[in-house]
């Protein structure tokens, strides 16, 4: 028995979304001697950003998302970010597949479905970019099954709904990878929560909100929790605190008092989608189709038309549209944004405002957009879309992280997922959103590697059992990448290779 086996830890996990439940699941498997207390302010797991109705459900693997492949000044394509994202999603799939294989969760078809991922562009500049991207990705083993076309008849086969009433004289191009996925993160989160509720070393409490946390002189944390039903407050003492509270992670990070809270802020954006109500229309599309963001617009404006599988039924969404309000959570407070402005981050926020005029203009434009405007944007994808077949609905919140960055300067808006930890590794916080849910296991790994170094002899072998490729490179080892994909596909019933 190693020293680490005897070492008891009390760990608090805040938030029962896909990130929080993933962290708690891995920690519960690492050691039964670690006690894990989870607190979720709502009455069920996965109600906020992880909920299937609050996101597009894309298994972000850089198969169709064009912002992960960047055209350099000399015209060449840098695909390094695409490789990184693809590997991270493969780790998540391995993790989910291992849980299914072990019997920890069941019926993977309820949360993950195979679905082609397509990139679609119009106009000479974008067509040239997509062609170069295809030529680059075709040389990389991770993406060498990519197809490309500028032929409208081929595009009619791939995207019949989108090609109806289009003229062959239009300059268009598309690329496709069939091994994409649609992921129901809400169902996955609830499955993980159900698993955790059965673990003897895990306590998962709903309707419990963490309202404050303070570090003691001995390094431990006093976490103040309020029962939202009874209004009772109590204190939980923890060795480590993991903040996975979605948009509310920034206010909780500020309450912790750690130095990393400084020069960090958030800009809340409410996601909106057009949802198709006509089942005959829904049947005509079976893919996730991503395009380029409009010229001068931020990356979050990338339009996409998404087939979704929710509660066993196929649905169809188009977006993203956005609206602005000061809440950091869909079920949050109108005081969230104002309360997060502090003396130590106000210059960061003001610098960001000065640098991000396009983002501010985009937000204002979205606020005043009418149903006619929403539909006109949709018609760039579906030319004959009819108003009566679509309805606008409000999805989840995204809090864009604003921070000071050594490379990009003061007030940089980070469009990805940020993991922040205290100097003593006792507080870990996940900030931002996309592609957070897809790379959730990589977030767990980052938390373990940075903040549980002293226990690596314990959690290292446990992680290896969950994710066989851990410690190896799927980017550089083609044989391992292909073997891993085949096994994961079998475990998750994706049937790509049958």
């Amino acid at each position: 028995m190693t020293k680490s086996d005897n070492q008891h830890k009390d760990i608090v996990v805040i938030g029962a979304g896909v990130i929080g439940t993933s962290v708690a699941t891995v920690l519960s498997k690492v050691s039964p001697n670690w006690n894990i207390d989870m607190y979720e302010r709502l009455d069920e797991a996965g109600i906020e950003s992880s909920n299937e109705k609050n996101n597009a459900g894309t298994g972000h693997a850089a198969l169709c998302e064009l912002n992960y492949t960047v055209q350099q000044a000399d015209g060449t394509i840098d695909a390094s970010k695409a490789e990184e994202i693809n590997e991270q999603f493969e780790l998540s799939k391995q993790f989910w597949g291992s849980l299914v294989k072990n019997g920890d969760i069941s019926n993977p078809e309820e949360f993950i479905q195979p679905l082609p991922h397509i990139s679609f562009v119009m106009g000479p500049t974008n067509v040239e970019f997509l062609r170069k991207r295809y030529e680059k990705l075709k040389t990389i083993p991770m993406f060498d099954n990519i197809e490309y076309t500028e032929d409208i008849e081929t595009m009619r086969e791939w995207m019949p709904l989108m090609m109806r009433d289009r003229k062959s004289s239009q300059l268009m191009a598309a690329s496709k990878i069939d091994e994409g996925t649609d992921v129901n993160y809400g169902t996955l989160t609830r499955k993980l929560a159900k698993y955790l509720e059965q673990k003897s070393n895990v306590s998962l409490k709903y309707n419990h909100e963490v309202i404050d946390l303070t570090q003691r002189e001995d390094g431990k944390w006093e976490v103040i929790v309020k029962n939202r039903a009874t209004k009772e407050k109590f204190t939980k003492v923890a060795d480590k605190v993991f903040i996975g509270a979605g948009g509310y992670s920034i206010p909780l990070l500020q309450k912790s008092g750690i130095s990393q809270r400084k020069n960090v802020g958030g800009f809340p954006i409410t996601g909106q989608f057009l949802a198709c109500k006509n089942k005959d229309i829904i049947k005509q599309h079976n893919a996730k189709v991503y395009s380029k963001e409009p010229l001068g617009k931020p990356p979050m404006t990338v339009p996409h038309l998404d087939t979704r599988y929710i509660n066993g039924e196929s649905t169809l969404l188009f977006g993203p549209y956005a609206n602005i309000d000061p809440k950091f959570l869909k079920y949050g407070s109108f005081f969230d944004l104002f309360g997060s402005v502090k003396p130590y981050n106000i210059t960061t926020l003001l610098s960001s405002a000065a640098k991000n005029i396009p983002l501010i203009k985009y937000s204002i434009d979205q606020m005043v957009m009418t149903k006619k405007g929403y539909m006109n944007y949709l018609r760039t994808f579906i030319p004959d879309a009819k108003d009566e077949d679509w309805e606008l609905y409000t999805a989840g919140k995204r809090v864009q992280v604003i921070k000071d960055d050594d490379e990009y300067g003061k007030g940089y808006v980070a469009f990805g997922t940020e993991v922040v930890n205290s100097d003593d590794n006792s507080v870990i916080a996940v900030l931002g959103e996309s592609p957070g849910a897809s790379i959730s296991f990589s977030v767990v790994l980052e938390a373990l590697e940075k903040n549980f170094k002293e226990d690596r002899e314990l959690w290292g072998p446990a992680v290896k059992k969950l994710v066989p490729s851990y410690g190896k490179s799927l980017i550089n080892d083609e044989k391992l990448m292909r073997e891993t994909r085949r096994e994961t596909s079998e475990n998750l019933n994706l049937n790509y290779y049958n």
Side-chain angles (χ1 to χ4, degrees), residues 50-239:
S50 301
N51 189 269
E52 56 268 35
K53 294 182 179 179
N54 290 343
N55 57 71
T58 302
H60 285 287
L63 306 182
C64 60
E65 307 95 313
L66 300 178
N67 52 312
Y68 294 137
T69 42
V70 181
Q71 187 163 341
Q72 305 297 296
D74 63 358
T76 60
I77 300 296
D78 179 4
S80 57
K81 185 66 175 178
E83 292 178 282
E84 177 187 339
I85 294 295
N86 189 275
E87 181 177 48
Q88 289 175 335
F89 185 57
E90 290 295 333
L91 293 177
S92 290
K93 287 198 297 180
Q94 284 185 67
F95 172 49
W96 304 335
S98 292
L99 294 177
V100 172
K101 188 176 181 180
N102 294 338
D104 299 321
I105 61 177
S106 60
N107 302 320
E109 66 279 357
E110 293 176 354
F111 70 86
I112 189 167
Q113 288 279 343
L115 192 68
H117 282 200
I118 298 174
S119 303
F120 169 72
V121 298
M122 294 180 287
T125 300
N126 289 337
V127 168
E128 182 183 9
F129 165 76
L130 192 65
R131 188 187 305 119
K132 287 182 176 180
R133 176 182 181 271
Y134 161 74
E135 290 169 353
K136 176 66 175 181
L137 293 186
K138 191 69 178 175
T139 67
I140 301 172
M142 284 179 155
F143 307 103
D144 63 0
N145 52 358
I146 189 172
E147 300 176 66
Y148 176 84
T149 188
E150 295 176 24
D151 175 59
I152 192 169
E153 295 306 319
T154 302
M155 283 185 261
R156 289 191 204 283
E157 295 177 11
W158 292 0
M159 307 167 288
L161 180 64
M162 291 176 57
M163 290 298 111
R164 201 163 56 207
D165 290 347
R166 288 191 190 270
K167 297 177 181 178
S168 57
S169 59
Q170 287 183 277
L171 187 57
M172 301 173 290
S175 62
K176 177 169 73 85
I177 296 181
D178 287 327
E179 288 82 357
T181 56
D182 174 71
V183 184
N184 185 324
Y185 292 107
T187 296
L188 171 62
T189 301
R190 291 188 289 274
K191 286 179 180 290
L192 294 175
K194 184 178 179 180
Y195 162 79
L196 290 167
E197 289 165 2
Q198 299 167 356
K199 296 290 289 183
S200 60
N201 64 327
V202 179
S203 171
L204 173 50
K205 289 185 169 62
Y206 299 109
N207 258 322
H208 281 66
E209 181 175 6
V210 173
I211 59 175
D212 205 358
L213 56 162
T214 305
Q215 190 168 30
R216 305 191 318 195
E217 289 186 3
D218 63 0
K220 294 180 183 290
W221 287 86
E222 293 185 352
V223 182
I224 312 300
V225 186
K226 181 175 75 173
N227 183 323
R228 299 183 76 205
T230 66
K231 310 303 180 186
E232 174 193 4
K233 298 178 184 178
F234 61 90
T235 299
K236 181 69 185 178
V237 177
D239 296 289

Side-chain angles (χ1 to χ4, degrees), residues 190-462:
R190 291 188 289 274
K191 286 179 180 290
L192 294 175
K194 184 178 179 180
Y195 162 79
L196 290 167
E197 289 165 2
Q198 299 167 356
K199 296 290 289 183
S200 60
N201 64 327
V202 179
S203 171
L204 173 50
K205 289 185 169 62
Y206 299 109
N207 258 322
H208 281 66
E209 181 175 6
V210 173
I211 59 175
D212 205 358
L213 56 162
T214 305
Q215 190 168 30
R216 305 191 318 195
E217 289 186 3
D218 63 0
K220 294 180 183 290
W221 287 86
E222 293 185 352
V223 182
I224 312 300
V225 186
K226 181 175 75 173
N227 183 323
R228 299 183 76 205
T230 66
K231 310 303 180 186
E232 174 193 4
K233 298 178 184 178
F234 61 90
T235 299
K236 181 69 185 178
V237 177
D239 296 289
K240 292 182 184 286
V241 179
F242 184 93
I243 304 173
Y248 205 65
S249 289
I250 288 177
L252 286 171
L253 183 66
Q254 291 176 336
K255 289 177 183 294
S256 73
I258 65 175
S259 62
Q260 287 76 13
R261 79 195 190 286
K262 297 180 178 179
N263 304 319
V264 173
F267 181 67
I269 297 176
T270 302
Q272 294 181 303
F273 288 100
L274 281 173
C276 187
K277 301 185 292 182
N278 187 325
K279 292 186 178 181
D280 290 333
I281 299 294
I282 294 171
K283 291 177 184 176
Q284 297 174 46
H285 188 78
N286 187 53
K288 290 189 181 292
V289 181
Y290 276 58
S291 191
K292 287 278 285 182
E293 69 269 18
L295 188 64
K297 302 293 184 182
M300 70 178 69
T301 64
V302 170
H304 44 92
L305 183 66
D306 298 286
T307 293
R308 298 294 323 277
Y309 298 105
I310 298 176
N311 298 327
E313 291 189 2
S314 180
T315 62
L316 187 60
L317 304 180
F318 178 79
Y321 301 101
N323 210 326
I324 307 299
D325 69 44
K327 293 181 180 181
F328 276 1
L329 295 169
K330 185 174 183 177
Y331 302 102
S333 165
F334 282 103
F335 296 102
D336 287 343
L337 174 60
F338 308 111
S340 73
V341 179
K342 308 292 185 183
Y344 51 73
N345 71 359
I346 191 167
T347 58
T348 298
L349 297 175
L350 291 174
S351 296
S352 178
K355 289 180 178 179
N356 290 279
I357 301 301
L359 177 58
I360 295 171
K361 184 179 183 300
Y362 163 73
S363 303
I364 294 172
D365 290 345
Q366 292 282 290
M367 288 177 68
V368 300
M369 187 180 287
T370 62
K371 175 70 179 289
K372 181 180 179 181
Y374 292 129
M375 291 303 300
N376 285 340
Y377 197 26
L378 170 63
R379 290 186 184 105
T380 63
F381 266 52
I382 307 175
D384 64 350
K386 297 178 175 59
D387 288 19
E388 60 268 25
D389 291 332
W390 298 81
E391 62 182 356
L392 185 71
Y393 83 92
T394 299
K397 300 288 294 191
R398 171 182 288 189
V399 178
Q400 299 298 148
V401 178
I402 299 170
K403 64 176 186 175
D404 293 347
D405 186 88
D406 292 339
E407 181 178 356
Y408 297 104
K410 202 170 189 65
Y412 170 65
V413 177
F415 288 99
T417 305
E418 301 279 324
V419 179
V420 176
N421 56 280
S422 60
D423 291 331
D424 65 356
N425 304 113
S426 62
V427 167
I428 311 104
V430 177
L431 313 177
E433 294 291 341
S434 183
S438 299
I439 64 168
S440 53
F441 191 75
S442 287
V443 173
V444 176
L445 284 181
E446 187 171 346
L448 285 171
E449 290 171 349
K450 282 186 177 180
N451 304 286
F452 291 83
K453 294 179 182 177
E454 70 276 15
D455 299 292
R456 186 158 193 154
E457 63 186 86
L458 178 64
W459 59 257

Side-chain angles (χ1 to χ4, degrees), residues 456-471:
R456 186 158 193 154
E457 63 186 86
L458 178 64
W459 59 257
V463 168
K464 187 75 174 176
K465 287 182 180 179
L466 286 171
V467 178
S469 73
Y470 175 63

